[in-house]
Amino acid sequence: MTPNIHDMAVRLLEAAMGRERFIVALAGPPAAGKSLLSEWLCREINERQPGIAAVVPMDGYHFDNAVLEPEGLVPVKGAPETFDTDGLLQDLARIRRADRTVAVPVFDRPLDLARAGGRLITLDHRLVIVEGNYLLLDHGPWPELRASFDMTLFLEVPDEVLEARLIQRWLNMGQDHDGAIERARLKDMLNARLIKRASVPADVHWAATV
């Protein structure tokens, strides 16, 4: 399915109509454009109904390197086991209750760490977009999240496009060319293929381009 961003904003608003809180999962592999599209979608929605939408990024639930290092998980940071799934689940339950403002963490990519309380989800935010790689993953603790979502979207992007974007991402972060290729192919693309292979079908498979 290839609706444009404007049509998708309208579709979500219509689906959320009359709901005290409507939570949307926007899932997909690394470098699919989840962060950019979720923020863009949020702006489009808020242009139609000011202040109704907000984004919760799954990356804010990365375990800190100080937690990952004793487990030997720093080299695979970004894999499913390197996230605080239970923390995300608890925050989604608090957001669902819609009885108070909820502070959620956000990930600072240049600093490679999550910042606690980096964003507030207020009572005005009736339409909440949760974006992240593993929201629809069908193993480990991740399936527990699915009951939190009223609608699920999955971004469809070809592997060759993902790999090119991932290499460029690592280059932009200061990696040399060989290092960028190694990290993209031996780390990120392994996660990308896992997400494509082991995620449950979404309500909408979105071939959006960014």
Side-chain angles (χ1 to χ4, degrees), residues 74-79 170 182-192:
V74 172
V76 295
K77 187 173 183 178
W170 286 113
E182 180 178 354
R183 283 175 176 261
R185 291 179 177 171
L186 301 184
K187 178 181 178 182
D188 297 318
M189 285 305 299
L190 296 181
N191 294 331

Side-chain angles (χ1 to χ4, degrees), residues 3-149:
N4 61 39
I5 195 82
H6 312 290
D7 292 340
M8 185 60 77
V10 170
R11 177 170 181 168
L12 294 185
L13 275 170
E14 290 176 347
M17 191 176 300
R19 304 286 291 272
E20 185 175 36
R21 183 142 272 166
F22 190 79
I23 302 178
V24 180
L26 177 60
K34 298 180 300 297
S35 298
L36 178 60
L37 278 169
S38 61
E39 294 293 345
W40 188 4
L41 194 52
C42 185
R43 289 194 302 272
E44 289 287 336
I45 292 168
N46 284 330
E47 284 180 5
R48 290 163 173 79
Q49 292 191 27
I52 192 178
V55 176
V56 174
M58 190 201 80
D59 276 356
Y61 296 86
H62 269 100
F63 284 123
D64 192 83
N65 287 355
V67 174
L68 298 175
E69 187 169 10
E71 304 297 325
L73 292 173
V74 172
V76 295
K77 187 173 183 178
E81 63 271 26
T82 65
F83 288 87
D84 179 15
T85 319
D86 188 60
L88 174 57
L89 182 64
Q90 296 304 315
D91 280 351
L92 290 175
R94 294 166 66 212
I95 291 169
R96 170 66 66 195
R97 288 198 296 271
D99 59 2
R100 67 192 65 192
T101 294
V102 178
V104 298
V106 297
F107 193 69
D108 189 319
R109 192 175 295 277
L111 294 179
D112 192 33
L113 54 79
R115 293 189 286 112
R119 182 168 299 173
L120 298 179
I121 307 301
T122 74
L123 297 182
D124 291 329
H125 295 136
R126 294 195 300 106
L127 200 163
V128 177
I129 302 166
V130 186
E131 63 91 0
N133 293 343
Y134 303 115
L135 300 177
L136 301 181
L137 197 65
D138 199 27
H139 62 69
W142 295 94
E144 295 181 47
L145 295 176
R146 291 206 293 277
S148 303
F149 306 129

